[in-house]
Amino acid sequence: MAYNKKRDLVEEQRARQRELIELKRQKEAFKENPEEYEPTYNEVVFVQSRKSKWQNFWYYSKFTIIGCLLLAIIIGIGISSCVGKVDYDMTVVLYTKTFVDNTMSQNLSSILKEYCEDYNGDGEVNVLVVNCSIPSKLTQEGSDSTNRLLGQFQNEEAICYIVDTEAYNDLNTNFGKDFLYDGMQLPDLDGVAFKLNGTVFDEAFNIVSDGYTNNFDYYLLRRHIGENSTANKGDVAEHVRNAEKLIRAIIADPYFEFKGELIVPSQTESSVKP
């Protein structure tokens, strides 16, 4: 390596000497006959050292290199996000005026999976429970839960709802039959709901806080939605069929012994109070 550096330096010096000799020759020619003098231009090859080549390359190309690196990072993040994203077969909205923590909603998701099917054909069954519990004692306007609930009202894939009595009354007062669907003739709340108290779904709550579901009544219902609408994934009519299939499966066997895994909070965590 030392030999190569020395050779590059020698070649650089020789090139400079040739350039000086040529300039001196042209100067003498001009003195002898300035009127007829025509300068000649000999191409002088300047041999750069490796260090000089790298310095020049980085100077002129650094912004291009940095831009390419940033683009590669952005593309990599996008690909990893797509690969890790869960494609849910069903979305269930949990809207209660009783406090429900995220551990309980995750446990509800685990139980709902037992009734759901692989509707999207990806080889897995995944149910998303969107926790929109808005306790009456807390300020509702502008809360994250309120914003989530409003977003789910616009989500035409969210057909199934789990509500408590107070939330049902709120929906009935504000929307009535425009939201509450009675076409399935369910056994509770004037044909629009199925009561979940006493079923396997109690385990999702009571494993977190013993006897939690004794303090409120909660129901499963299907919302009313125009079946000619379009959703993000497929026709709304297909989501409606899948939602009704899920509700019928729950009604057919609401008391089965759940053998899956539910989240049990540690003893150091504070108990949940409704």
Side-chain angles (χ1 to χ4, degrees):
M1 182 177 289
Y3 172 76
N4 291 335
K5 289 183 177 179
K6 184 176 180 180
R7 184 182 63 184
D8 292 340
L9 182 60
V10 171
E11 291 295 333
E12 186 175 344
Q13 291 175 347
R14 287 177 178 175
R16 293 185 182 277
Q17 288 175 354
R18 289 194 294 268
E19 184 179 4
L20 291 173
I21 292 172
E22 177 62 23
L23 290 173
K24 185 175 181 181
R25 186 191 66 77
Q26 293 189 30
K27 183 178 179 181
E28 294 297 331
F30 176 77
K31 287 181 179 180
E32 293 176 1
N33 193 354
E35 295 180 357
E36 298 181 2
Y37 171 75
E38 292 183 5
T40 58
Y41 300 95
N42 296 327
E43 184 178 356
V44 179
V45 178
F46 179 72
V47 180
Q48 297 186 23
S49 63
R50 293 185 179 180
K51 181 179 179 181
S52 177
K53 289 179 179 179
W54 167 248
Q55 289 175 340
N56 290 334
F57 173 77
W58 176 248
Y59 179 80
Y60 291 108
S61 306
K62 57 185 176 183
F63 293 110
T64 302
I65 295 173
I66 293 173
C68 291
L69 289 175
L70 290 175
L71 181 61
I73 292 172
I74 293 172
I75 293 174
I77 293 174
I79 293 174
S80 62
S81 299
C82 293
V83 171
K85 185 177 180 180
V86 178
D87 189 12
Y88 292 100
D89 299 279
M90 181 73 61
T91 298
V92 177
V93 179
L94 175 65
Y95 173 38
T96 63
K97 296 300 182 74
T98 305
F99 175 74
V100 177
D101 71 5
N102 289 329
T103 301
M104 294 175 176
S105 63
Q106 291 177 50
N107 287 339
L108 282 173
S109 175
S110 298
I111 296 175
L112 284 165
K113 286 172 59 176
E114 300 296 321
Y115 293 101
C116 191
E117 298 180 12
D118 179 19
Y119 295 121
N120 57 30
D122 64 354
E124 299 179 353
V125 176
N126 292 290
V127 177
L128 174 64
V129 174
V130 183
N131 188 356
C132 301
S133 64
I134 309 174
S136 300
K137 297 179 181 179
L138 301 180
T139 303
Q140 299 180 19
E141 186 175 356
S143 69
D144 291 340
S145 296
T146 302
N147 293 333
R148 280 197 297 271
L149 179 62
L150 293 175
Q152 292 309 311
F153 284 165
Q154 304 300 320
N155 181 7
E156 294 172 330
E157 297 176 25
I159 312 295
C160 292
Y161 276 63
I162 294 177
V163 301
D164 63 3
T165 304
E166 192 173 349
Y168 164 78
N169 291 334
D170 178 59
L171 293 172
N172 191 30
T173 300
N174 290 289
F175 305 105
K177 299 302 181 181
D178 290 335
F179 188 92
L180 300 171
Y181 180 76
D182 60 0
M184 294 186 70
Q185 290 299 299
L186 300 178
D188 301 298
L189 300 180
D190 298 324
V192 302
F194 174 73
K195 190 174 183 179
L196 294 176
N197 292 82
T199 69
V200 66
F201 289 91
D202 284 350
E203 296 182 30
F205 300 92
N206 297 337
I207 198 172
V208 178
S209 180
D210 187 39
Y212 196 74
T213 55
N214 296 333
N215 300 293
F216 65 100
D217 293 335
Y218 65 111
Y219 303 85
L220 175 68
L221 59 83
R222 193 213 116 170
R223 67 174 289 191
H224 176 79
I225 192 168
E227 297 186 19
N228 293 326
S229 304
T230 57
N232 295 330
K233 296 181 293 184
D235 295 333
V236 169
E238 180 181 356
H239 295 293
V240 168
R241 286 193 296 271
N242 295 339
E244 291 187 349
K245 192 173 183 179
L246 174 71
I247 293 172
R248 291 192 180 97
I250 293 172
I251 294 175
D253 188 15
Y255 307 109
F256 83 99
E257 182 180 354
F258 180 71
K259 297 182 180 180
E261 294 183 2
L262 297 177
I263 302 175
V264 182
S266 64
Q267 295 181 354
T268 58
E269 295 180 2
S270 58
S271 60
V272 179
K273 295 182 179 181

